[in-house]
Amino acid sequence: MTGPTVTRVLVADDQTVVREGIVMLLGLLPGIEVVGAAADGEEAVALVARHRPDVVLMDLRMPRCDGVEATRRIRAAYPGTEVVVLTTYADDESLFPALRAGARGYLTKDAGGEEIARAIADVRSGAAGLSPQVQLRLLERLSGAADPVPSGEPSSAPSPATPAEPPDGLTAREAEVLGLIAEGLSNTEIARRLYVGPATVKTHINNLFAKTGVRDRAQAVAYAFRHGITGSPQ
């Protein structure tokens, strides 16, 4: 009889007390095994090569090699290892470089054990493991709400709701699916929203990934933000 699936996790954080606290917290969560802990990005890359974990919990601001560069190297060399950023910072200068580097999850360090466990499970299943605050930030930027035009000044950019030619040869339906990914919907939820089958959604996702050059859902969210692509109306 097959036992429960265990997710092997590596922790990377340059602060000893934080790193040890995360390791201790993960040790209390069912279905998670901590296989190593790194004090900087260089060590994280080396330990991933040695242990091949399923998920890395990655701090961003570390000496020698920061979390963004470590994420980029890990995702390029070991695509079977997912990265969830766990950091103090949720500003745009931290968030979007991490997503572009290949991180599929992004949490701030006020996250509790349940939220961390959910993000780890989400990225293992192919979804984006984003905290509610990060999802809200992405949606705000996607809608343009984070950067309102000052009163009395005309806006040169079209509203995200304004129909436009999708970039990179995307069809209108592929752009719609991309927008729904950016809203955090799973394949099943997208299929329900668009009244199509899950296989059709998967085909659209494969096509839009190939056309845009993104590697995963987190990068797709960042791409959607950059191009002002939103999902279908409720």
Side-chain angles (χ1 to χ4, degrees), residues 7 13 25 28 56 58 61 76 90 102 107 119 135 144 174 180 192 195 209 212 221 227 233:
T7 300
D13 197 296
L25 174 63
L28 299 174
V56 178
M58 181 78 74
R61 303 190 183 181
L107 303 173
Q135 289 189 47
E174 288 162 358
L180 295 173
R192 234 178 352 245
Y195 302 101
F209 274 30
T212 61
V221 170
H227 293 278

Side-chain angles (χ1 to χ4, degrees), residues 7-233:
T7 300
R8 303 170 72 252
V9 177
L10 175 76
V11 176
D13 197 296
D14 64 322
Q15 294 182 299
T16 302
V17 66
V18 174
R19 185 172 64 251
E20 292 178 350
I22 295 170
V23 169
M24 185 178 301
L25 174 63
L26 293 176
L28 299 174
L29 300 177
I32 292 178
E33 176 191 358
V34 178
V35 297
D40 57 53
E42 289 286 354
E43 188 178 8
V45 175
L47 289 177
V48 168
R50 184 184 310 166
H51 297 294
R52 303 296 176 92
D54 300 304
V55 177
V56 178
L57 279 182
M58 181 78 74
D59 190 20
L60 287 183
R61 303 190 183 181
M62 297 184 290
R64 292 208 299 165
C65 172
D66 66 23
V68 171
E69 178 59 25
T71 296
R72 185 177 295 111
R73 289 163 59 181
I74 288 168
R75 293 293 297 147
Y78 310 101
T81 296
E82 306 293 354
V83 176
V84 174
V85 170
L86 185 60
T87 182
T88 306
Y89 310 96
D91 55 279
D92 292 358
E93 290 74 21
S94 302
L95 172 60
F96 293 107
L99 294 180
R100 285 193 293 269
R104 279 195 174 180
Y106 199 107
L107 303 173
T108 52
K109 286 182 178 176
D110 58 358
E114 183 179 336
E115 191 173 350
I116 293 173
R118 185 166 57 249
I120 290 172
D122 284 344
V123 299
R124 284 218 70 192
S125 68
L130 305 174
S131 71
Q133 303 98 304
V134 169
Q135 289 189 47
L136 178 60
R137 182 62 182 154
L138 288 171
L139 291 174
E140 284 176 344
R141 290 298 301 268
L142 198 58
S143 67
D147 297 299
V149 177
S151 177
E153 291 188 16
S155 171
S156 59
S159 163
T162 302
E165 188 72 23
D168 292 324
L170 293 176
T171 66
R173 177 62 72 151
E174 288 162 358
E176 190 174 24
V177 170
L178 176 58
L180 295 173
I181 291 173
E183 290 181 18
L185 273 64
S186 68
N187 286 11
T188 301
E189 290 168 331
I190 293 172
R192 234 178 352 245
R193 177 79 68 86
L194 300 180
Y195 302 101
V196 298
T200 300
V201 172
K202 188 172 182 179
T203 297
H204 288 316
I205 291 174
N206 289 340
N207 289 341
L208 72 89
F209 274 30
K211 291 178 180 179
T212 61
V214 302
R215 295 193 300 269
D216 52 49
R217 294 176 89 94
Q219 288 191 351
V221 170
Y223 178 95
F225 149 69
R226 289 198 303 274
H227 293 278
I229 296 173
T230 58
S232 64

